[in-house]
Amino acid sequence: MNNFNYSIPTEVYFGKGQIKNLAEIANLGTKVLMVYGGGSIKRNGAYDEACAVLHEAGTKYYELSGVDPNPRIDTVRMGAELCRSKDIDVVLAIGGGSTIDCSKVIAAAACYDGDPWDLVLDGSKIKAALPVVTVLTMAATGSEMNGNAVISDMGANEKLGTYSHWLKPVFSIEDPKYTYSLPAGQTAAGVADIMSHVFEQYFTTVSGGFIQARLCEAILKTCIQYGPVAIKTPKNYDARANIMWASSLALNELIGYGSGMPWTVHGMEHELSAFYDITHGVGLAILTPFWMDKVLSDETTPKFAEYGRNVWGLSDADDDMTTAKKSIECTREFFKSMGLPETLTEAGVEEKSLPVMAAKLKNTFKKTYVPLSEADVLEIYQAAL
Ligand code: NZQ
Ligand code: ZN
């Protein structure tokens, strides 16, 4: 196990009615920029409840709505401008990962003199940020507890992640009831995203991380247990609660401390979204089984067999290679059973773009679990087509 520094400063208010704690925002300032997406928060009650608490707490709030899934740098620019002109003290994100990511970079850009895209290209340029508070309405990205933000410049076909400890939310409200209104497709995409976050950390060549591996398996089993329940019965509180907490635990750094390494499938998915604006979790669900097929080898078979036995309960009687192959099939079938597409063609991706996307990643995966060349990436894209 490698050395690490534990730092997960975000306070989480988890459960029914926790929106009352949004009143704590008044300790961070009186002028709030409330950021949200296309309006789902007005249909699921989050907006009305948040406004009532903000009002009661004596804050003055301004609104920035219309954040797109795969949030755009132009929205960040608009938000940063609003922060300056209205002298905003704190940015409040109400929504899923897109709204939260956009809010984080707005908060940093408000304290930066140059163009906000600089901060997406290089997180080390973030030297300060307004405090960020979140009310989570979609379980998926973990953005509610981490310092990551992913922003797109669709004109340039760029979707890039940035990171700074300045971006970690001060506190997050996680009420699973806000996720009751998620359509089945978004619920499934969120579960696939959570599982992918775990895979990116579970499949590692760093040895000795026994506790990290077991934490990973617990989160995967939670997704497998409750993903289908939430799709079938959207208002099942325990299903929504377990998935929501899985979202936060999968990507708040905890499970990767001491054993993490650079990621693969996320980088490949970001190209799909940058060119075709597809839903993040959908792209991951399509690519993951094909990535697994590609990286399965004599060296990786024991890890895949461990995954098959501990997560899918596959029999000890089979040899490692048989179990490893079955584990990949279980993964593929699980995503399919949640109604997620199985091929890039179904998601609207065209063959002609595959070499362009692979070329953009030619130097990206040199130190990953299994290093991948441009040709390897292209092979995975083609297999997934
Ligand atoms: O815009 P609204 O109207 O809110 O609708 C959203 C959106 O259409 C809807 N939605 C959210 N909560 C809802 C709801 N609909 C009904 N009821 C609710 N309770 O769902 C749609 C998708 O929302 P979005 O925020 O885009 O989803 P998600 O949370 O999956 O975020 C995806 C973005 O986060 C990035 C992705 O790349 C993508 O840009 N990621 C961020 C990460 C991070 N910050 O750590 C890591 C991830 O790997 C990921 O890359
Ligand atoms: Zn993700």
Side-chain angles (χ1 to χ4, degrees):
M1 197 192 298
N2 294 329
N3 292 358
F4 61 88
N5 298 343
Y6 174 103
S7 172
I8 308 179
T10 302
E11 180 138 18
V12 174
Y13 295 105
F14 192 98
K16 292 172 194 163
Q18 292 286 26
I19 192 74
K20 64 177 186 286
N21 291 299
L22 184 56
E24 299 288 319
I25 204 167
N27 298 330
L28 302 168
T30 52
K31 287 193 193 165
V32 176
L33 178 66
M34 184 202 287
V35 182
Y36 57 96
S40 69
I41 66 163
K42 295 201 169 161
R43 295 187 291 276
N44 62 25
Y47 176 83
D48 287 343
E49 291 180 19
C51 289
V53 178
L54 290 175
H55 186 71
E56 183 77 6
T59 59
K60 185 172 171 55
Y61 59 90
Y62 301 86
E63 297 186 21
L64 174 67
S65 62
V67 175
D68 296 295
N70 296 324
R72 316 296 205 250
I73 189 63
D74 288 339
T75 319
V76 172
R77 291 189 180 112
M78 245 159 36
E81 200 40 55
L82 258 172
C83 287
R84 285 199 199 91
S85 64
K86 305 293 184 197
D87 200 17
I88 294 293
D89 298 314
V90 46
V91 182
L92 168 62
I94 309 183
S98 295
T99 292
I100 299 174
D101 287 4
C102 190
S103 302
K104 287 173 171 177
V105 187
I106 288 172
C111 305
Y112 178 72
D113 280 338
D115 182 50
W117 189 247
D118 300 345
L119 309 178
V120 179
L121 290 172
D122 181 1
S124 72
K125 289 196 171 152
I126 301 173
K127 305 289 185 202
L130 297 177
V132 174
V133 170
T134 87
V135 176
L136 185 66
T137 68
M138 162 137 186
T141 64
S143 190
E144 64 276 10
M145 262 188 107
N146 68 37
N148 305 326
V150 184
I151 303 293
S152 296
D153 179 347
M154 298 311 274
N157 294 127
E158 294 284 7
K159 173 175 176 173
L160 299 173
T162 187
Y163 171 86
S164 166
H165 71 91
W166 287 102
L167 302 183
K168 292 180 179 174
V170 177
F171 69 90
S172 286
I173 309 283
E174 299 192 24
D175 184 339
K177 290 173 80 175
Y178 292 145
T179 65
Y180 286 176
S181 56
L182 275 167
Q186 288 294 348
T187 300
V191 169
D193 190 21
I194 298 166
M195 291 177 73
S196 178
H197 296 157
V198 178
F199 292 142
E200 302 271 22
Q201 298 170 90
Y202 183 69
F203 290 98
T204 174
T205 56
V206 179
S207 63
F210 183 90
I211 187 166
Q212 290 87 340
R214 303 296 83 76
L215 289 168
C216 286
E217 288 161 1
I219 297 170
L220 291 170
K221 289 173 87 160
T222 301
C223 291
I224 293 162
Q225 171 79 19
Y226 285 110
V229 179
I231 289 169
K232 203 161 163 223
T233 47
K235 295 188 178 170
N236 182 313
Y237 182 80
D238 285 334
R240 292 297 191 183
N242 277 282
I243 296 170
M244 190 172 243
W245 193 223
S247 152
S248 300
L249 292 178
L251 196 45
N252 67 1
E253 300 186 19
L254 178 73
I255 63 171
Y257 281 139
S259 59
M261 57 192 313
W263 293 18
T264 318
V265 183
H266 270 67
M268 294 183 63
E269 189 294 310
H270 285 178
E271 292 307 322
L272 302 180
S273 291
F275 280 81
Y276 291 96
D277 199 15
I278 76 170
T279 300
H280 176 61
V282 169
L284 295 169
I286 295 169
L287 291 175
T288 295
F290 292 100
W291 167 78
M292 288 178 163
D293 287 339
K294 175 74 187 163
V295 302
L296 182 63
S297 67
D298 286 346
E299 285 87 68
T300 61
T301 295
K303 187 69 195 179
F304 276 93
E306 179 183 330
Y307 164 58
R309 292 187 184 113
N310 293 350
V311 174
W312 293 105
L314 297 177
S315 160
D316 278 340
D318 285 330
D319 62 65
D320 274 7
M321 185 50 98
T322 306
T323 308
K325 285 185 175 159
K326 281 187 185 170
S327 77
I328 299 174
E329 267 332 286
C330 288
T331 312
R332 184 172 264 122
E333 284 304 312
F334 179 69
F335 291 148
K336 185 177 165 190
S337 76
M338 288 198 299
L340 290 161
E342 290 179 272
T343 64
L344 294 178
T345 306
E346 286 171 74
V349 176
E350 303 154 294
E351 188 167 16
K352 67 170 195 230
S353 310
L354 304 184
V356 187
M357 296 191 291
K360 284 183 76 182
L361 296 168
K362 70 174 175 216
N363 293 319
T364 312
F365 305 128
K366 293 194 163 162
K367 293 187 174 163
T368 48
Y369 175 58
V370 174
L372 298 177
S373 67
E374 180 181 340
D376 294 329
V377 172
L378 185 57
E379 209 179 293
I380 295 170
Y381 279 145
Q382 280 167 339
L385 193 65

